[in-house]
Amino acid sequence: MANAASGMAVHDDCKLKFLELKTKRTYRFVVYKIEEKQKQVVVEKLGEPTQGYEDFAASLPADECRYAVYDFDFFTEENVPKSRIFFVAWSPDTSRVRSKMIYASSKDRFRRELDGIQIELQATDPSEMGLDVFKSRAN
């Protein structure tokens, strides 16, 4: 199903890997990429459950846009373990304008495909999605 606004389709694998992250915790994170030639969002990278935030941050290219989902584990003030699923729209200032426009116009439609996202972050540089940002938004 293509989105009328951007004409972008969502590969079935995108939803499948997200569901595995959400229900089975098979992955720590999923990085998604828009394949412009095929006009669809595809899975680019999967993070193992043992991988942490540093691995997630390192998997986002410095000069290209991406979507990502990150399963963030934390402890509440009562020391209760919890997790929140973050959707990250990564759009670095150094990426191409066309790329930023395509990712921006496709974001809402793509995000709706991933049912169960609790928190959304928009980031243009690493400081906007630092571990401290995840911690403050998770509570």
Side-chain angles (χ1 to χ4, degrees):
M1 288 183 283
N3 174 0
S6 66
M8 211 52 65
V10 177
H11 193 281
D12 290 340
D13 215 27
C14 294
K15 289 184 268 193
L16 185 71
K17 298 302 182 205
F18 174 73
L19 279 172
E20 289 175 9
L21 174 143
K22 184 175 93 171
T23 57
K24 300 180 189 156
R25 301 186 71 128
T26 313
Y27 310 106
R28 172 66 56 198
F29 60 86
V30 183
V31 177
Y32 301 98
K33 174 184 186 177
I34 291 178
E35 289 290 352
E36 287 184 42
K37 288 182 180 71
Q38 295 148 5
K39 292 201 178 316
Q40 72 173 343
V41 183
V42 297
V43 172
E44 181 181 52
K45 185 170 177 38
L46 298 167
E48 296 299 317
T50 54
Q51 291 185 295
Y53 171 79
E54 291 76 21
D55 301 301
F56 168 67
S59 69
L60 296 172
D63 56 357
E64 287 180 44
C65 300
R66 292 292 185 272
Y67 299 129
V69 175
Y70 182 67
D71 187 6
F72 179 65
D73 291 327
F74 65 100
F75 286 93
T76 63
E77 286 175 19
E78 298 80 34
N79 213 26
V80 178
K82 284 199 156 189
S83 82
R84 292 271 186 266
I85 297 175
F86 279 79
F87 177 84
V88 178
W90 173 243
S91 184
D93 292 329
T94 53
S95 58
R96 295 186 350 260
V97 172
R98 175 176 162 73
S99 178
K100 285 191 237 189
M101 287 172 56
I102 290 170
Y103 275 81
S105 66
S106 306
K107 183 187 79 163
D108 290 337
R109 161 87 171 49
F110 178 63
R111 189 184 178 284
R112 281 197 302 274
E113 294 284 331
L114 308 178
D115 187 38
I117 287 174
Q118 294 150 317
I119 301 164
E120 184 175 322
L121 284 180
Q122 179 83 35
T124 56
D125 79 60
S127 69
E128 293 176 7
M129 51 164 261
L131 200 48
D132 54 331
V133 176
F134 277 89
K135 286 177 182 163
S136 70
R137 294 287 302 274
N139 285 320

